[in-house]
Amino acid sequence: MIYTDWMSQLPAELHTIPLFKLAIPGSHDSMSYDLDINSRIIEPKRLRRFSRIYCLRKIVHTWAATQEVSITEQLNAGARYFDLRIARKPNDTNPTRLYFHHGLYTRTDVETVLMEINMWAGSHPKEVLILSLSHFEGFDKKIAAQLHNHLIGFIKDLFGAKLLLKTNTPTLKSCWNQGKNIIVSYDNRAYQQSVLWRKITYYYGNSMDRTEIKARLCQALEKEKSSKYFFVCGLNPTLPHNSRILWYILRVCDNFTNVVRRGMPKLLQWVKQQHDKTPMNIVASDVVTRHDFVATIVKLNLKQGKGQ
């Protein structure tokens, strides 16, 4: 089955349930396929002063690239939630130009990528996209207001009538009736507006160990998640923040996406079992086009449809 337009193909009984209760496949660190190996290192922060060392940047690139294909390809594959981490490059001659980041800066700027998303959304009006903008690295106090206002203004002008205003119970049908199919979550309370949704909580295991990832997500699903707002279960493994990281990054013939691919089948099996006990909303992953990730998450909705 092709999942390019999976939302419009869901059973009719799912068109009127809140989007918070749909299972939605999402992309973790969505722009990391585009990292620029020639940029300075952003994180880990303790490595920033060594940014001139090419082999170190290469290691960061190898272990920070969590996606393999472009935003358009992720959209075509069926991903509908995007984790977009914003940054400004220091000393950029353009005062309002922004990029994405994960360890390194991306090659492509924010406005170019948002235009790509807008073009796709215009061609697929029944597919509702959730864009989660966060981090805002390099937004120094003196320029932060200018950068936020410019970015928000660009979002409003670009997406225009496609933007869904904040509402208590958005559904596919209500979005379709209004001709809306873009939701923008903006992780900065100081700049909340009617067209910007508040932060979406992202639960994740903060570990490379699948058992620990599953345990943390179980805790979130059973005790912490909201039933009246979006939430994300992140299947993504996370590298250690201490010397244990060397055990991974010094593997010359390995990389982060290989680690994810090896663990994905068992995590997806757990998702199917866990969803029967505690339903999930957005499920995000690295390498979203691999191992039937999108198919597994979308099919969770069919179980729900039969149960109604």
Side-chain angles (χ1 to χ4, degrees), residues 138-190:
F139 279 44
D140 300 330
K141 287 184 179 180
K142 291 183 179 180
I143 58 172
Q146 178 190 8
L147 294 174
H148 281 296
N149 288 329
H150 177 83
L151 177 57
I152 292 168
F154 180 82
I155 288 169
K156 292 163 71 173
D157 290 342
L158 176 67
F159 296 138
K162 297 185 190 76
L163 283 171
L164 180 67
L165 301 181
K166 286 183 287 190
T167 179
N168 290 331
T169 53
T171 66
L172 287 174
K173 186 175 181 180
S174 66
C175 290
W176 297 342
N177 288 345
Q178 298 175 68
K180 314 287 187 183
N181 70 331
I182 295 181
I183 293 170
V184 175
S185 163
Y186 203 85
D187 187 10
N188 189 306
R189 293 183 179 180

Side-chain angles (χ1 to χ4, degrees), residues 17-37:
I17 70 168
L19 294 178
F20 316 141
K21 296 187 181 299
L22 280 183
I24 300 172
S27 166
H28 170 248
D29 272 310
S30 308
M31 283 299 301
S32 60
Y33 67 88
D34 188 56
L35 297 177
D36 183 1
I37 199 169

Side-chain angles (χ1 to χ4, degrees), residues 32-70:
S32 60
Y33 67 88
D34 188 56
L35 297 177
D36 183 1
I37 199 169
N38 294 312
S39 86
R40 61 172 285 188
I41 296 171
I42 303 179
E43 54 188 5
K45 290 184 179 180
R46 61 183 176 275
L47 296 183
R48 286 182 179 180
R49 57 182 175 152
F50 303 114
S51 290
R52 292 184 180 181
I53 303 174
Y54 176 80
C55 64
L56 188 57
R57 297 198 308 271
K58 186 174 177 62
I59 290 172
V60 172
H61 186 275
T62 298
W63 290 90
T66 69
Q67 300 298 339
E68 301 171 301
V69 300
S70 72

Side-chain angles (χ1 to χ4, degrees), residues 131-272:
L131 311 181
S132 178
L133 277 59
S134 66
H135 286 64
F136 307 110
E137 179 70 32
F139 279 44
D140 300 330
K141 287 184 179 180
K142 291 183 179 180
I143 58 172
Q146 178 190 8
L147 294 174
H148 281 296
N149 288 329
H150 177 83
L151 177 57
I152 292 168
F154 180 82
I155 288 169
K156 292 163 71 173
D157 290 342
L158 176 67
F159 296 138
K162 297 185 190 76
L163 283 171
L164 180 67
L165 301 181
K166 286 183 287 190
T167 179
N168 290 331
T169 53
T171 66
L172 287 174
K173 186 175 181 180
S174 66
C175 290
W176 297 342
N177 288 345
Q178 298 175 68
K180 314 287 187 183
N181 70 331
I182 295 181
I183 293 170
V184 175
S185 163
Y186 203 85
D187 187 10
N188 189 306
R189 293 183 179 180
Y191 294 91
Q192 290 304 298
Q193 302 180 18
S194 59
V195 296
L196 300 178
W197 294 60
R198 60 183 168 87
K199 175 182 178 179
I200 296 174
T201 301
Y202 192 111
Y203 300 107
Y204 67 107
N206 197 26
S207 173
M208 295 294 284
D209 183 88
R210 286 194 302 273
T211 301
E212 292 184 20
I213 293 171
K214 291 185 284 188
R216 175 67 187 98
L217 293 179
C218 277
Q219 179 184 349
L221 287 165
E222 293 169 3
K223 300 179 180 179
E224 301 173 26
K225 72 176 180 71
S226 169
S227 60
K228 297 182 179 180
Y229 193 63
F230 297 109
F231 67 93
V232 183
C233 288
L235 303 183
N236 49 286
T238 306
L239 288 167
H241 298 291
N242 53 33
S243 59
R244 289 178 54 242
I245 193 174
L246 297 175
W247 193 82
Y248 295 95
I249 66 174
L250 295 181
R251 300 177 188 173
V252 178
C253 297
D254 208 355
N255 58 49
F256 196 79
T257 54
N258 282 340
V259 172
V260 173
R261 286 198 294 265
R262 290 196 293 268
M264 181 67 74
K266 289 185 178 180
L267 280 173
L268 291 179
Q269 186 60 38
W270 171 81
V271 166
K272 289 188 283 188

Side-chain angles (χ1 to χ4, degrees), residues 4-11 15 125-128 172 176:
T4 305
D5 295 287
W6 67 265
M7 285 183 161
S8 64
Q9 296 167 3
L10 288 175
H15 296 174
K126 288 195 169 185
E127 300 302 300
V128 179
L172 287 174
W176 297 342

